Amino acid sequence: MRKNRWMDYCILSEIVMIGLAEAAHLAAILLDWTFSMCSLFFMGLTGVACIMAAGGLALKSGLLLRGHMGEVARTRQKGQGKTDGGVWGLLAVFAVLVLSQVLFICKGGIYYLQGDMTVEAVESFLASDRIYQWNPMTGQPYTQGIPMRLKILCLPTLYGSLCGILGLKPAILIRTMVPILTLTSSYVAFYALGCSLFPKSGDLPEGAAEKGNMAKGTKDEICVVKKRVCFLLVVALLFWAETYFHVMDGFQLLFCGWRGTAIRNSILLPWLFSLCLRKKWCSAVLCVLAEACLVWTFYGMGVCVIAVVGMILGERYTRRGSKTVSEKHSKNSSGPDKVC
Amino acid sequence: MAGFMKNIQMAWLGWKNYTDDGKMAALLLVSLAYLWYCGKRMRGRSFWVYSMCVTIGCICPITAALFMRIQTKFYDYEWIWSMVPVTAVIALGMTLFLARCWGDFGLSQWRKGLPAAMFLLAVTVLAGGMGGELPNQIYQVQEREKAYGVLEELIALSQGGDVCLWAPREVMEYAREADGHIRLPYGRNMWDASLNAYAYDTYGEDILALYEWMEQMSDPAAMETALKSLETCVRNARNMGVDCIMLPESVASETIQRMEKASNLHVRCLEGYWVFYG
């Protein structure tokens, strides 16, 4: 099976971050820690994870550098890896669209706040130095408490810890910086999906290269790159067009990109589909776990579980379908009167 | 059974609401049909099969009601559409269509490609409502800026914002996000009912009375009624720990005097509001 690509590592690092925040959050709730202690624990975990990742990266790059350079040289010799003017043209239009979205978020002011209290929750964590002891809506202690299913969601702790580390006001971090990160990650996730939907021959699992519409020569590979960029461009355009309804991906990214639902719909799900198309089922489980830390839907089972199960069933159905077709083809081709 | 029937009804109404403003759902169906037409040559058939099944499931009221039942009452009908990769399916369909028309996306084939690209652009713009929910949000920008202005003054006045504030809705809405040290007798969940799902806490009759009184004070037509119970409401608020009260600048000077006397707080004017504090 093909190794992970840079897009996978980007999304994976964010999921690890969410996982660490969840660990610190649960520890604080179960052990009745203060928020500053929880934040410190999260920073410690993140520091260890960063050191481990840096070590792993250094080791891997040291081992692979020589082989990779050789591969790059061979690719250049063959004339592969070249892009033509069409790709740059599509990329330029895509860049303009993304830049306009980033500027829109940076300008700020237009948010969708119905049913959302993330900033208030983070403010109350920071002001009280406790987690879910004060009602974020009033700043008074809870009289009845909050449902456990919501208490385990870690996003306010993650944002609060980041506010502590970066020294930013919660409103600025949550409503400007996080949506920009979500938007960028969303494009990374959609690019990963684009790569899975328009694969080059080397991107596919072994044995799959013969099937489908994948590229075989250099010209075809450039065409595949163009399709991927075109896919991203259409996604960027759709994000602008989807700003009319609060459940649409574009609306959530541009008006409430800090919410768990926005992260799930725009990052986790596209990446999950990309993983499923590459048959990386184990990595897909990470999306399910990440969703469980962010959003409560389908009684905690989440949309990602349904997507994974659906994709497995879809895969089995299409495999059976393609077998039937290939059997028919082989029967037909064995006949004496076959015309090529 | 009655609950399930109600869910079916809600699913049907939800579908109508979902397709009311923009027509992305129609574009999704067209895209799915085009991907079906592309057929066996397309890679990612399992993605198409999954998308097709969940789309049908979300449209058909019976399966939609089932999804709604499973997804918990916390979310409305439209959230079951999270299962459908709307953006990805439309983008895939459009890319394949464009690739068929434009070939290698080269400048040499622009005569065929450019009209197709323009057609898709027009379809996308028309299918999206282009900001259906935006006008309301833009109005909130001005409201937020005004509220932040007065709240910043209040935080400076109270040297850190450690006050219990009772003010008109447009100020209370942003008080907790402006500073976590500001406490309120009631919060945004008083008028945004969806926020009540985050806690088991509910408001008592006395707090509801405070909210209604302040709403009446912000409404010139209902102000006369509110003035009759000014002293009682202010006394209740003070007993609940309120140590800062705001009133709109439009109230009469007689009312300000009565309020100052009843609350035993000093009055000053801040950014279009009378503030009783300290």
Side-chain angles (χ1 to χ4, degrees):
Chain A
M1 190 172 281
R2 175 93 179 157
K3 283 177 186 169
N4 286 333
R5 293 170 293 196
W6 65 269
M7 298 87 81
D8 299 318
Y9 287 117
C10 284
I11 309 288
L12 208 57
S13 60
E14 286 176 2
I15 289 178
V16 167
M17 194 86 153
I18 290 166
L20 296 179
E22 182 66 31
H25 179 77
L26 285 181
I29 283 178
L30 296 173
L31 304 171
D32 200 23
W33 288 352
T34 60
F35 180 69
S36 46
M37 197 165 164
C38 168
S39 196
L40 208 66
F41 183 56
F42 170 70
M43 278 163 68
L45 287 176
T46 312
V48 171
C50 285
I51 291 166
M52 283 170 68
L57 204 69
L59 195 73
K60 207 172 176 182
S61 59
L63 289 171
L64 293 178
L65 195 59
R66 200 178 295 168
H68 178 68
M69 294 306 274
E71 195 180 315
V72 168
R74 276 194 298 278
T75 311
R76 278 186 185 161
Q77 250 179 358
K78 281 182 190 173
Q80 288 177 350
K82 278 184 184 173
T83 48
D84 70 353
V87 176
W88 291 112
L90 290 171
L91 273 175
V93 181
F94 170 68
V96 168
L97 283 171
V98 176
L99 201 66
S100 65
Q101 287 163 352
V102 170
L103 286 175
F104 179 81
I105 293 170
C106 285
K107 189 176 167 283
I110 306 177
Y111 312 114
Y112 184 71
L113 298 178
Q114 200 176 354
D116 177 74
M117 57 170 200
T118 314
V119 176
E120 286 97 334
V122 173
E123 279 283 358
S124 75
F125 285 8
L126 292 169
S128 65
D129 200 24
R130 309 292 298 180
I131 295 173
Y132 290 127
Q133 301 285 319
W134 287 12
N135 188 338
M137 291 289 95
T138 59
Q140 316 267 11
Y142 276 116
T143 51
Q144 307 286 321
I146 71 164
M148 196 60 195
R149 64 175 189 272
L150 297 173
K151 216 173 182 178
I152 59 166
L153 303 180
C154 72
L155 273 183
T157 299
L158 175 63
Y159 296 154
S161 301
L162 291 176
C163 284
I165 295 166
L166 302 171
L168 288 167
K169 287 257 320 159
I172 294 171
L173 180 107
I174 293 168
R175 295 200 179 140
T176 308
M177 296 179 74
V178 173
I180 290 174
L181 183 69
T182 311
L183 181 75
T184 318
S185 308
S186 174
Y187 283 119
V188 172
F190 272 102
Y191 186 63
L193 179 58
C195 290
S196 302
L197 290 167
F198 304 106
K200 292 177 184 173
S201 51
D203 293 341
L204 294 167
E206 282 165 27
E210 292 77 30
K211 297 178 203 165
N213 59 336
M214 72 291 308
K216 290 183 181 77
T218 311
K219 201 179 168 188
D220 282 349
E221 289 209 351
I222 291 174
C223 195
V224 164
V225 173
K226 282 181 184 172
K227 278 182 188 170
R228 288 175 180 180
V229 179
C230 180
F231 178 76
L232 268 189
L233 200 156
V234 176
V235 167
L237 187 68
L238 284 170
F239 281 166
W240 268 128
E242 286 173 345
T243 52
Y244 68 93
F245 197 44
H246 64 272
V247 291
M248 293 291 184
D249 295 344
F251 186 97
Q252 293 205 20
L253 280 170
L254 295 174
F255 300 117
C256 50
W258 62 87
R259 288 193 189 190
T261 47
I263 296 171
R264 177 195 60 195
N265 291 3
S266 321
I267 303 175
L268 296 181
L269 279 172
W271 191 55
L272 177 86
F273 289 122
S274 151
L275 292 171
C276 291
L277 287 170
R278 287 179 280 156
K279 299 183 177 58
K280 284 174 173 280
W281 307 111
C282 294
S283 303
V285 174
L286 288 176
C287 292
V288 175
L289 294 174
E291 190 194 351
C293 304
L294 302 177
V295 203
W296 178 272
T297 38
F298 290 93
Y299 289 97
M301 206 166 58
V303 173
C304 289
V305 171
I306 292 170
V308 172
V309 172
M311 287 297 284
I312 291 172
L313 294 175
E315 187 67 37
R316 293 190 69 170
Y317 170 78
T318 48
R319 201 189 299 160
R320 202 191 305 162
S322 60
K323 264 184 190 172
T324 322
V325 170
S326 60
E327 275 166 16
K328 268 186 189 173
H329 270 285
S330 61
K331 273 181 190 172
N332 288 344
S333 59
S334 61
D337 53 351
K338 189 202 165 236
V339 180
C340 292
Chain B
M1 192 62 191
F4 190 68
M5 290 308 287
K6 196 182 170 193
N7 265 4
I8 291 178
Q9 198 183 357
M10 279 170 70
W12 175 242
L13 290 173
W15 165 246
K16 280 171 80 176
N17 186 31
Y18 188 74
T19 50
D20 232 15
D21 289 330
K23 300 292 172 226
M24 278 294 158
L27 204 53
L28 171 78
L29 294 177
V30 172
S31 194
L32 282 169
Y34 181 71
L35 293 176
W36 175 73
Y37 167 72
C38 286
K40 298 277 183 279
R41 287 170 299 135
M42 189 188 77
R43 167 135 171 92
R45 285 264 301 159
S46 54
F47 178 64
W48 175 80
V49 170
Y50 165 79
S51 306
M52 191 72 184
C53 291
V54 286
T55 303
I56 292 168
C58 288
I59 295 171
C60 175
I62 295 170
T63 42
L66 199 70
F67 287 150
M68 281 171 73
R69 203 178 171 87
I70 303 169
Q71 81 163 348
T72 73
K73 284 179 185 170
F74 192 73
Y75 295 96
D76 293 326
Y77 164 81
E78 57 264 24
W79 287 102
I80 63 171
W81 281 87
S82 295
M83 290 188 294
V84 186
V86 178
T87 310
V89 171
I90 297 173
L92 176 62
M94 283 189 174
T95 307
L96 289 178
F97 178 74
L98 208 57
R100 179 172 278 219
C101 296
W102 204 326
D104 64 348
F105 295 96
L107 284 175
S108 56
Q109 290 179 314
W110 71 271
R111 276 175 205 278
K112 272 202 270 178
L114 208 58
M118 288 297 126
F119 169 71
L120 289 182
L121 181 67
V123 165
T124 310
V125 170
L126 291 172
M130 281 297 163
E133 290 193 22
L134 276 183
N136 188 26
Q137 310 293 324
I138 288 165
Y139 170 69
Q140 284 180 0
V141 177
Q142 296 153 356
E143 196 183 87
R144 180 185 290 106
E145 278 171 7
K146 196 179 170 201
Y148 264 71
V150 67
L151 285 164
E152 275 165 17
E153 292 267 352
L154 179 67
I155 291 162
L157 188 73
S158 62
Q159 294 174 343
D162 196 7
V163 290
C164 187
L165 172 71
W166 180 35
R169 182 208 285 213
E170 64 269 16
V171 178
M172 299 274 269
E173 172 113 18
Y174 305 104
R176 290 285 303 151
E177 67 170 61
D179 194 315
H181 292 96
I182 299 177
R183 287 166 288 116
L184 309 171
Y186 53 86
R188 198 152 55 88
N189 54 334
M190 185 67 94
W191 49 91
D192 182 356
S194 55
L195 286 166
N196 286 323
Y198 292 111
Y200 294 125
D201 289 17
T202 49
Y203 292 120
E205 288 293 321
D206 46 351
I207 293 180
L208 282 171
L210 286 190
Y211 167 66
E212 278 162 16
W213 188 86
M214 191 53 89
E215 285 291 291
Q216 286 173 344
M217 281 303 285
S218 308
D219 178 9
M223 203 183 278
E224 279 301 312
T225 323
L227 285 175
K228 287 176 192 163
S229 57
L230 187 145
E231 279 77 14
T232 321
C233 272
V234 170
R235 201 181 317 121
N236 286 345
R238 293 288 280 155
N239 288 341
M240 283 176 210
V242 170
D243 53 12
C244 179
I245 303 170
M246 271 189 207
L247 288 180
E249 207 176 24
S250 57
V251 296
S253 57
E254 189 198 338
T255 312
I256 295 161
Q257 283 170 0
R258 277 176 66 190
M259 177 64 94
E260 198 174 10
K261 199 176 168 191
S263 65
N264 202 19
L265 296 166
H266 298 297
V267 66
R268 68 205 80 195
C269 192
L270 287 183
E271 304 273 332
Y273 289 94
W274 291 109
V275 179
F276 300 84
Y277 176 68

